[in-house]
Amino acid sequence: MLNKAIDAGLRRWVENIKKQENLPVRLVLWNGSQIDLGAFNTPEVTLEVKSPAALPLLVSPTLESLGEAYIQEKIDIGGKLADVIRTSYRLAELSARKSGSHSAGAMRKLADMTKHFKHTKAEDKDSIHYHYDVSNDFYKLWLDPNLVYSCAYFENGDEDLETAQYKKIDHILTKIRLQPGQTLLDIGCGWGALVIRAASKFGARCVGITLSQNQHDLAVQRVRAAGLEGQIEIRLQDYRDIKGSFDRITSVGMFEHVGRVNLVSYFARINELLAEEGVAMNHGITSTDPDSRDSPMGGGDFIDRYVFPKGELPHISLALSALQQGGLEALDVENLRRHYARTLEMWAASYEKYSEQIRELVGEKRYRIWRVYLAGCAHAFEVDDVSIYQVICQKAGRKADAIPWSRRYIYGAK
């Protein structure tokens, strides 16, 4: 039997949920009793509550508190992960609706969402190390063979992940009109897939930079194996320390680490490194809140604490404003939100497929963190909680004839 006070509070919460929505969810309590949150024959999602201490995390849930409870093994989940994430979002929404947007808790959350990080070079290096230096073998289990860790491009919608990642890279390199012999700087080069493609297919001379030691070492090996050492240099270096001039610059999945208050200086640095007639491309995740806050359901706090320390997402309007203030002119802006939702679905499916190997490699806690993160992000992109844009730009103030007449150059070559 449950304590009477606990039982009464839990029953009130369940009845309140049932009044608002019919959720195919079954709670299995620590004493074996079961409570359904809706009318159904078979639950889509089962939440196993390990102890009474976990109940407050359910009765007043946010994405952060639910994720925290799961990775701390205070609750276990059953069912398809996509259904679990969708249900978690719905519970958080119902909780937010009940508490009201003007409560003290909501105001504290608002203060948290508008905080900024310093992003010193040392701090950024530590953050990158935490996220990317988990293990190359860890990423190999669920990414494509080339270890492309960014949104793929599904030109037709039916591509496998490896094909879609090649298409994404070619899409970028075609957009920036990369020509043989030109110099290309890739900021945040990962494991080297883009620079290897740029050198081997487009004939460019490339510099790729990363703050991850694991990425650097494997990228160097891959460049050597491809016989491209004469065309590609991989550096363990901060973008703020780069010198020189480049015909083309790409930054894929990196500006999320820059910090909102540093966006102008980030784009100004790209401007300084870009040749007078050069073209640059920024590919990055953005907030869908016009005020550039994180998700109101609390997912941003979870990601900051467990996945991407000090990550900050600007709204596209803030990114474009900072780009212009940094001395650049936007030429082309493309929304790839649908593509990232599909990419994350594929990553999450691979992650589930190799769950036992991942557990053995990184342990239960990190396994759970990334499981929630990948599936949660897939849902966030699906429902427009976050978005992603590719922005092509050049130095501001150039004559009009520097701009292509149409976008035919992007698609006509394919």
Side-chain angles (χ1 to χ4, degrees):
M1 293 290 293
L2 294 175
N3 175 284
K4 289 184 178 180
I6 293 175
D7 182 64
L10 182 60
R11 297 289 173 180
R12 282 196 300 271
W13 176 73
V14 170
E15 289 307 313
N16 180 64
I17 293 293
K18 286 183 175 180
K19 287 178 182 178
Q20 298 183 72
E21 190 157 338
N22 183 36
L23 293 178
V25 178
R26 174 168 292 158
L27 299 183
V28 179
L29 304 184
W30 58 94
N31 62 0
S33 60
Q34 299 181 0
I35 302 174
D36 291 341
L37 300 186
F40 48 79
N41 294 323
T42 304
E44 291 182 3
V45 175
T46 300
L47 296 176
E48 184 179 349
V49 185
K50 297 292 188 177
S51 74
L55 282 178
L57 300 172
L58 291 175
V59 175
S60 298
T62 64
L63 292 182
E64 180 187 11
S65 67
L66 291 171
E68 180 91 22
Y70 174 65
I71 67 168
Q72 297 294 344
E73 300 184 53
K74 294 179 180 178
I75 64 173
D76 274 330
I77 56 178
K80 293 180 180 179
L81 195 54
D83 293 335
V84 171
I85 295 298
R86 185 174 61 255
T87 297
S88 297
Y89 261 77
R90 196 70 194 108
L91 286 172
E93 288 169 356
L94 292 173
S95 177
R97 182 189 302 170
K98 179 183 177 183
S99 62
S101 60
H102 298 291
S103 67
M107 295 306 292
R108 286 194 297 272
K109 175 61 70 178
L110 178 61
D112 288 343
M113 290 190 295
T114 55
K115 64 188 176 185
H116 299 290
F117 301 105
K118 291 182 179 179
H119 290 278
T120 66
K121 292 178 183 178
E123 288 174 337
D124 285 350
K125 186 173 184 179
D126 287 343
S127 297
I128 296 301
H129 171 74
Y130 175 86
H131 185 85
Y132 294 100
D133 288 341
V134 177
S135 160
N136 285 340
D137 290 336
F138 168 73
Y139 288 102
K140 286 177 181 178
L141 283 171
W142 51 275
L143 293 179
D144 69 291
N146 291 309
L147 295 180
V148 183
Y149 187 33
S150 55
C151 171
Y153 179 67
F154 298 87
E155 185 178 19
N156 303 308
D158 58 358
E159 293 87 348
D160 60 53
L161 184 58
E162 182 178 9
T163 300
Q165 290 292 14
Y166 272 125
K167 286 190 173 185
K168 184 272 298 297
I169 294 173
D170 288 351
H171 190 50
I172 290 171
L173 299 179
T174 302
K175 275 185 172 184
I176 62 173
R177 292 170 275 161
L178 184 63
Q179 301 298 316
Q182 288 183 332
T183 54
L184 167 70
L185 170 65
D186 188 26
I187 300 174
C189 67
W191 290 274
L194 187 146
V195 289
I196 290 173
R197 187 73 165 176
S200 61
K201 182 177 179 179
F202 290 77
R205 294 179 288 118
C206 308
V207 173
I209 63 169
T210 177
L211 292 177
S212 164
Q213 187 70 56
N214 283 359
Q215 288 184 338
H216 170 272
D217 294 348
L218 184 54
V220 169
Q221 293 176 26
R222 290 183 159 186
V223 168
R224 186 182 303 121
L228 295 170
E229 293 169 285
Q231 286 179 258
I232 301 174
E233 180 185 1
I234 304 294
R235 301 178 187 172
L236 193 64
Q237 191 173 31
D238 192 289
Y239 76 96
R240 289 162 284 198
D241 295 329
I242 292 289
K243 306 294 182 184
S245 176
F246 298 87
D247 299 310
R248 300 290 186 265
I249 297 176
T250 52
S251 177
V252 182
M254 180 272 173
F255 100 135
E256 299 91 335
H257 301 285
V258 167
R260 290 188 283 264
V261 298
N262 300 320
L263 284 175
V264 173
S265 61
Y266 162 74
F267 285 117
R269 188 77 189 106
I270 290 177
N271 185 26
E272 291 170 2
L273 294 167
L274 191 62
E276 286 303 313
E277 298 183 354
V279 180
M281 193 271 340
N282 188 83
H283 168 120
I285 302 171
T286 58
S287 170
T288 55
D289 187 312
D291 295 321
S292 294
R293 297 189 300 257
D294 296 323
S295 166
M297 293 298 104
D301 288 341
F302 176 87
I303 291 173
D304 175 58
R305 181 175 301 149
Y306 291 109
V307 187
F308 269 114
K310 296 180 171 61
E312 297 181 55
L313 304 183
H315 188 266
I316 183 60
S317 60
L318 178 59
L320 291 173
S321 175
L323 181 146
Q324 189 75 41
Q325 291 179 68
L328 298 167
E329 176 190 18
L331 301 177
D332 187 275
V333 180
E334 183 175 11
N335 185 322
L336 295 179
R337 180 166 67 87
R338 185 178 185 182
H339 297 261
Y340 218 167
R342 173 66 63 83
T343 303
L344 282 153
E345 287 172 3
M346 289 184 165
W347 285 346
S350 293
Y351 198 88
E352 294 294 292
K353 180 178 179 180
Y354 296 107
S355 59
E356 292 308 312
Q357 295 96 311
I358 292 171
R359 273 194 176 99
E360 292 176 4
L361 190 62
V362 300
E364 183 67 23
K365 182 177 180 180
R366 183 154 268 175
Y367 161 77
R368 289 185 176 222
I369 289 172
W370 282 81
R371 187 181 187 218
V372 169
Y373 166 65
L374 291 174
C377 285
H379 185 82
F381 279 99
E382 178 65 30
V383 300
D384 196 27
D385 258 9
V386 288
S387 193
I388 183 166
Y389 289 88
Q390 287 183 351
V391 181
I392 307 299
C393 57
Q394 65 180 13
K395 286 180 177 291
R398 295 186 63 193
K399 292 184 177 181
D401 62 9
I403 304 173
W405 283 113
S406 72
R407 304 181 89 243
R408 191 177 299 114
Y409 72 97
I410 299 175
Y411 302 106
K414 294 182 179 180

